[in-house]
Amino acid sequence: MIARTQSTVPLGQRIESWLPRIVVSPLFALSLFFVYGFIAWTVYISFTKSGVMPNYTFEGLSQYERLWATPRWYVALSNMFVFSALFIAISLAIGIFLAILLDQRVRIEGVIRTIYLYPMALSFIVTGTVWKWILNPGLGIQNFVRKAGFEDFTFDWLVNSNYAIYTIVIAAVWQSSGYAMALFLAGLRSVDDEILKAAAIDGAGAFRTYFSVVLPIMRPVFLSTVIILAHLAIKSFDLVIALTGGGPGYATDMPATFMYSFAFQRSELGVAAASAVMMLATVIAIVVPYLYSELRGPNR
């Protein structure tokens, strides 16, 4: 049979075949402009003399020199590393524990899964607001315990500049550990039963089976979970704003809140753009090796 040429295809069929492209193309073009276009604009602005308003006069690396000469930037970086390390480690530990627990086919699996996945349905703004009430010394845990008769009890981390960063860790872990649990549970359920039977025949107990056999097999799940959690940690903004506002002072500043403050409160657009580029570089440094390892294939 001779294939029909494009000219012999009915007009209705041609329109139907092109309709998905026609519908998607404007959205794709807008995404290119508002995402990648503004990324390129931000990168260029970081090399200009921009202050209160954009100034397109090229000035080289002066904004980056100002950025790295700002003590507040080092506070933001320090907070990001502390927050990221604790947030990722605790979320992984809780996620693995809950996933192994649910993998035992407990009767209340559906209830536990719902309880720990529910926080993911909330925005970080809601999470930050709720935990701000809970951790407020005059309204939350400290006030409740003191009214219970323990007058000397103190839990003022939210207003203590030395401990405020850990309140963000608490709120973030509460919201995201359930997501880590779901990823690990999916990985556990995908492990071949023959491997588990072979481990049981060799006399391996449950603990040794999970930590010596099953979890090493789930290396891709571990890597994916770490990448996702690290991405959330680097971009943390709404949770910090809702919970501490970057305070006390700027004790809980993160790179995202630093960028916002310098762009819209201190009117130093060039420094803010430079900090945004540094955040982008950090995300790229984490994501690109992961994508390379995943896309190159097992035989390359």
Side-chain angles (χ1 to χ4, degrees), residues 220 223-225 227 284-295:
L223 188 57
S224 299
T225 306
I227 292 297
I284 291 175
I286 293 174
V287 173
V288 169
Y290 166 72
L291 293 177
Y292 175 75
S293 66
E294 290 297 310
L295 297 178

Side-chain angles (χ1 to χ4, degrees), residues 29-299:
L30 289 174
S31 298
L32 283 178
F33 178 76
F34 285 105
V35 177
Y36 299 103
F38 277 101
I39 288 176
W41 182 82
T42 301
V43 172
Y44 181 77
I45 286 294
S46 70
F47 293 101
T48 65
K49 298 176 63 176
S50 299
V52 178
M53 298 294 291
N55 184 329
Y56 297 100
T57 303
F58 187 81
E59 201 179 46
L61 298 174
S62 62
Q63 300 290 5
Y64 291 91
E65 294 173 358
R66 292 181 60 199
L67 174 68
W68 289 100
T70 304
R72 183 172 176 177
W73 175 244
Y74 289 95
V75 173
L77 287 180
S78 175
N79 286 336
M80 184 188 71
F81 287 120
V82 170
F83 170 74
S84 300
L86 293 175
F87 168 58
I88 294 173
I90 297 174
S91 295
L92 287 177
I94 294 176
I96 292 171
F97 173 77
L98 292 175
I100 293 176
L101 175 64
L102 294 180
D103 195 44
Q104 308 308 308
R105 312 287 180 176
V106 295
R107 292 184 178 181
I108 57 172
E109 175 182 339
V111 176
I112 296 176
R113 193 164 50 194
T114 301
I115 290 173
Y116 281 94
L117 283 178
Y118 177 74
M120 285 299 299
L122 304 176
S123 69
F124 276 112
I125 290 292
V126 174
T127 298
T129 302
V130 170
W131 279 97
K132 186 175 183 178
W133 294 338
I134 295 173
L135 299 173
N136 188 309
L139 299 173
I141 296 174
Q142 177 176 296
N143 181 59
F144 176 79
V145 175
R146 287 187 175 182
K147 285 185 176 180
F150 301 91
E151 296 292 338
D152 296 329
F153 178 80
T154 300
F155 189 66
D156 60 349
W157 287 12
L158 190 64
V159 295
N160 188 322
S161 59
N162 294 322
Y163 297 101
I165 186 64
Y166 302 112
T167 63
I168 301 175
V169 175
I170 293 172
V173 167
W174 178 80
Q175 173 144 7
S176 301
S177 58
Y179 181 66
M181 174 201 71
L183 293 177
F184 284 122
L185 183 59
L188 290 174
R189 294 284 167 84
S190 66
V191 174
D192 191 348
D193 289 339
E194 295 299 325
I195 297 177
L196 301 179
K197 293 178 182 178
I201 293 174
D202 290 339
F207 180 86
R208 187 176 178 185
T209 299
Y210 276 108
F211 286 91
S212 298
V213 179
V214 177
L215 293 182
I217 296 175
M218 293 171 54
R219 177 181 169 274
V221 178
F222 270 96
L223 188 57
S224 299
T225 306
V226 170
I227 292 297
I228 293 171
L229 294 178
H231 185 254
L232 291 175
I234 294 170
K235 293 173 54 179
S236 294
F237 174 78
D238 39 7
L239 180 61
V240 179
I241 291 296
L243 184 54
T244 65
Y250 54 83
T252 56
D253 230 5
M254 302 279 267
T257 57
F258 175 94
M259 176 188 65
Y260 174 83
S261 176
F262 272 69
F264 299 106
Q265 295 175 349
R266 300 186 56 170
S267 300
E268 297 187 30
L269 189 59
V271 175
S275 67
V277 173
M278 297 307 301
M279 289 175 57
L280 176 64
T282 305
V283 172
I284 291 175
I286 293 174
V287 173
V288 169
Y290 166 72
L291 293 177
Y292 175 75
S293 66
E294 290 297 310
L295 297 178
R296 67 177 180 174
N299 297 323

Side-chain angles (χ1 to χ4, degrees), residues 2-10 14:
I2 301 176
R4 293 185 297 176
T5 62
Q6 185 70 19
S7 59
T8 61
V9 176
R14 277 187 284 173

